[in-house]
């Protein structure tokens, strides 16, 4: 029995090569799952490695794993917390050298379990859990044609993170904490896992579920998406991280506002209002993203939809009203490209409801239709039909409820779906970022189309009143609801085996190519599912 303290700083200045991925899996050191209960937050890759760690979802990195190195394929093989195994005293090998690796969550929790299988018959089970400010990695090895199978773990984390480990034959426990002494290892790692399991299930039990007629696949997607929102929302501050990854572990107002709407819809009003309080204290004109303390992050200018998203989150959570809007023209939009006059920003601005005395609204539905409307639907750039249809048209329905634009929004989304992939849609026709589908536009389009179906149902079948298409005999068309279901099926195909929604996946493989899970996609999935099965 051995135990020791590990205090190491991460990172290399050279250019190592990221280890090769197993067939059908993303490369090592790209997170595919998130562990945590809104305090200490860990990203786990497909091979069981802890590849990102933060004291809060939007806090500073405690593992040196830059996104640019991930993209360039130059991540060192000892980055973060890396489980390994040796056979009969041989050199330790990592799990990306296994024959097969699978991953799932313990039901109703953010506890990640990864299982690696080797041709010798050996099996290594790695469980990663975070509860409060404690992280546990529990390894259990077995098999190996009767030979000795010995687990080990490499730890390369920031100064200030304290880790202790204990190994007993084919068992290994690791505990890491930030900011205080490490608790006893013996029995402690299992206790952290138990606390995380109990905490996650209790949190979920106190949340609203879907209606009784929801299919099982919808319930599973809802639970996983809601638990992702929980993991990436700080219980202390209300800061919501876009993802547990370098470059994404910041607060974008629109992403965080969507999380607030999802928490409210699932019965978590107090948490939703804490998110809104965080948002209304931001200087939305200062930047497009903020850290966990509300400080602006340099490098990207404020975007024109920020106020509209914060305003709709305030209304949705029954919080205080905003006082004045800010201009949406000449700003970047959700695609984060050069400034311009963009549809998403115009829709957000048109939705802002302010208290007196204020200046006139900077946009309205009629102006949006004049500036962005075409025979095929709503395009991205004002007055530029060649900019292509924009999936942000769905925001006119949900969350901004600009009813005069419902027909144009529906037409836009249905046309984009026609050119979609089995894994969803891209942001729009003018998207220049490649053919890979993005789960956030896919999910918000599903929510919008589900909202159109709700509108038709509540109108009692009177097509002309709702301006929605009708079948012969005056019965409302169900194509919006079916289109929403089709998009959710795309999301299911794009999800990881553990149920997480990547930011985007390969158009032909469905393998994650970016941040996984993405907070924004998960929040939209919650909202779409609740719209369909309230």
């Amino acid at each position: 029995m051995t135990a020791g303290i590990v205090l190491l700083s991460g990172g290399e200045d050279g250019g190592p090569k990221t280890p090769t991925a197993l067939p059908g899996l993303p490369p090592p050191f790209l997170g595919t799952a998130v562990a945590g209960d809104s305090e200490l937050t860990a990203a786990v890759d497909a091979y069981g490695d802890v590849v990102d760690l933060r004291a809060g979802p939007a806090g500073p990195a405690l593992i040196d794993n830059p996104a640019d190195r991930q993209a360039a394929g130059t991540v060192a093989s000892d980055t973060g917390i890396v489980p390994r195994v040796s056979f009969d005293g041989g050199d330790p090998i990592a799990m990306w050298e296994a024959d097969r690796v699978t991953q799932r969550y313990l039901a109703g929790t953010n506890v990640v379990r990864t299982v690696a299988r080797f041709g010798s018959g050996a099996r290594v089970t790695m469980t990663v859990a975070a509860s409060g400010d404690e992280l546990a990695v529990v390894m259990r090895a077995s098999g190996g044609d009767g030979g000795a199978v010995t687990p080990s773990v490499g730890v390369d984390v920031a100064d200030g993170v304290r880790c202790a480990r204990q190994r007993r034959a084919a068992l290994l426990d690791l505990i890491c904490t930030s900011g205080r002494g490490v608790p006893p290892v013996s029995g402690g790692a299992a206790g952290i896992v138990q606390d995380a399991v109990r905490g996650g299930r209790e949190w979920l039990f106190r949340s609203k579920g879907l209606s009784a007629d929801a299919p099982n696949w919808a319930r599973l997607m809802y639970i996983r998406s809601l638990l992702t929102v929980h993991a990436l929302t700080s219980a202390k501050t209300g800061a919501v991280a876009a993802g547990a990854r370098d470059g994404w572990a910041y607060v974008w107002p629109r992403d965080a506002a969507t999380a607030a709407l999802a928490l409210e819809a699932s019965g978590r009003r107090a948490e939703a209002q804490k998110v809104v309080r965080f948002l209304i204290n931001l200087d939305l004109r200062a930047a497009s993203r903020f850290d966990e303390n509300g400080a602006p992050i340099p490098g990207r200018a404020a975007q024109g939809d920020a106020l509209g998203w914060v305003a709709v989150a305030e209304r949705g959570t029954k919080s205080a009203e905003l006082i004045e809007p800010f201009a949406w023209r000449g700003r970047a939009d959700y695609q984060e490209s050069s400034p311009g006059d963009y549809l998403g920003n115009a829709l957000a601005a048109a939705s802002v409801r302010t208290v007196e005395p204020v200046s006139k609204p900077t946009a309205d539905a009629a102006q949006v239709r004049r500036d962005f409307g075409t025979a095929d639907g709503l395009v991205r750039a004002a007055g530029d039909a060649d900019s292509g249809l924009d999936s942000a048209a769905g925001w006119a329905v949900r969350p901004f409820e600009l009813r005069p634009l419902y027909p144009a929004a529906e037409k836009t989304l249905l046309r984009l779906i026609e050119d979609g992939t089995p894994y969803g849609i891209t942001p729009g026709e003018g998207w220049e970022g490649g053919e890979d589908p993005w789960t956030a536009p896919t999910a918000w389009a599903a929510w919008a189309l589900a909202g159109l179906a709700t509108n038709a149902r509540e109108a009692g079948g009177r097509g002309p009143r709702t301006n929605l298409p009708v079948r012969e005999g005056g019965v409302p068309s169900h194509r919006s609801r079916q289109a929403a279901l089709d998009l959710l099926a795309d999301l299911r195909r794009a999800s990881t085996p553990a149920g997480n929604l990547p930011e985007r996946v390969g158009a032909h493989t469905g393998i994650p190519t970016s941040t996984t899970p993405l907070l924004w996609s998960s929040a939209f999935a919650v909202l779409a599912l609740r719209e369909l099965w309230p």
Side-chain angles (χ1 to χ4, degrees), residues 17-22 25-32 44-49 51 65 69-71 73-77 79 82 94-97:
K17 184 178 180 180
T18 303
T20 302
L22 290 177
L25 294 179
F29 304 107
L30 176 68
T32 55
V44 183
D45 71 5
Y47 309 92
D49 309 303
V51 299
N65 187 15
R69 284 192 175 177
Q70 295 177 43
T74 59
V75 182
S77 61
T79 297
V82 181
M95 302 306 146
W96 55 78
E97 298 179 78

Side-chain angles (χ1 to χ4, degrees), residues 133-463:
D133 61 358
E134 297 178 335
L135 174 76
V137 178
V138 177
M139 295 182 65
R140 301 293 182 259
S142 62
D145 293 335
V149 184
T150 306
S152 61
V153 63
V155 181
D156 194 353
V157 294
D159 292 337
V161 179
R162 299 173 61 84
C163 299
R165 53 189 155 189
Q166 180 183 63
R167 189 171 65 201
R168 306 180 306 281
L171 314 177
L172 186 146
D173 291 343
L174 175 80
I175 294 178
C176 295
T177 66
S178 60
R180 63 184 181 84
V182 180
V185 183
S186 182
I192 294 170
V193 173
Q194 292 169 3
D195 288 346
V197 168
R198 180 172 57 252
R201 290 173 179 169
E202 288 177 354
W203 187 89
L204 196 61
F205 179 77
R206 295 193 302 270
S207 305
K208 288 181 182 178
L210 301 182
S211 60
D213 59 333
N216 190 56
W217 66 262
R219 296 181 189 281
L220 293 175
M221 180 182 285
Y222 179 76
I223 288 170
R224 178 48 40 213
S225 298
L226 187 57
L227 284 169
T228 297
V229 174
H230 177 44
L232 294 174
T233 302
S234 172
K236 295 179 179 179
T237 67
V240 178
R245 184 187 179 197
D246 172 60
W248 278 255
Y250 300 123
V251 181
W252 273 263
R254 62 174 160 269
D255 300 49
T258 311
L261 294 173
L263 288 166
E264 170 70 21
S266 58
R268 315 293 311 192
R269 174 167 292 180
E271 292 157 72
Q273 290 179 332
K274 181 174 285 189
V275 173
V276 170
R277 285 195 295 273
F278 181 93
L279 291 173
I280 62 177
N281 286 317
L282 298 177
D283 181 359
L284 297 176
R285 297 175 177 82
S288 67
R289 48 193 185 153
F290 303 82
D291 68 16
E292 65 176 351
N293 298 313
I297 302 299
R300 298 187 189 181
Q303 290 158 12
D305 61 355
L307 185 79
W309 279 100
V310 174
V312 79
E314 286 185 306
R315 294 197 300 273
T317 60
K318 308 299 189 291
S319 302
E321 291 276 353
L322 288 171
I323 295 177
E324 62 176 315
F326 66 89
W328 62 273
R329 293 186 183 275
R331 294 184 182 268
D333 67 349
Y334 75 97
Q335 296 188 24
E336 300 188 13
S337 57
S338 57
D341 295 350
Y342 297 123
L343 175 64
N345 295 348
L347 295 171
S351 76
V352 174
R353 303 170 190 170
T354 58
V355 296
E356 299 294 340
V358 295
S359 58
K360 294 177 63 177
T362 55
D364 59 37
Q367 184 65 51
V368 171
R369 186 163 46 200
R370 288 193 295 271
D371 286 352
F372 299 92
T374 69
D376 293 328
L378 299 172
V379 296
R380 181 178 179 230
D384 183 5
D386 292 336
S387 63
L389 300 178
D390 188 346
S391 66
W395 300 358
V397 183
R398 296 290 186 272
F400 297 132
E401 297 188 359
L402 302 171
R403 290 179 178 268
L405 296 174
Y406 281 13
E410 181 187 46
K411 180 181 289 187
T412 304
L413 296 179
L414 294 177
R415 289 291 294 266
L416 291 174
I417 291 171
E418 291 177 2
D419 296 326
T421 76
Y423 307 105
I425 62 175
T426 62
E429 288 181 329
W431 175 247
E432 297 178 351
E435 64 178 343
D436 290 350
W438 290 63
T439 59
T442 304
W444 79 53
W447 184 27
L449 288 162
L452 288 169
T454 298
N455 186 70
R457 183 177 65 250
E458 291 176 348
R462 291 184 291 277

Side-chain angles (χ1 to χ4, degrees), residues 40-43 50-55 59-63 81 135 157 161 176:
L40 189 67
T41 308
V50 179
V51 299
D52 195 276
L53 186 66
R54 297 171 193 270
L62 303 175
I63 288 175
I81 300 174
L135 174 76
V157 294
V161 179
C176 295

Side-chain angles (χ1 to χ4, degrees), residues 119-135:
S120 62
R123 169 187 167 119
V124 181
T125 300
M126 297 148 288
T127 303
V128 177
S131 179
D133 61 358
E134 297 178 335
L135 174 76

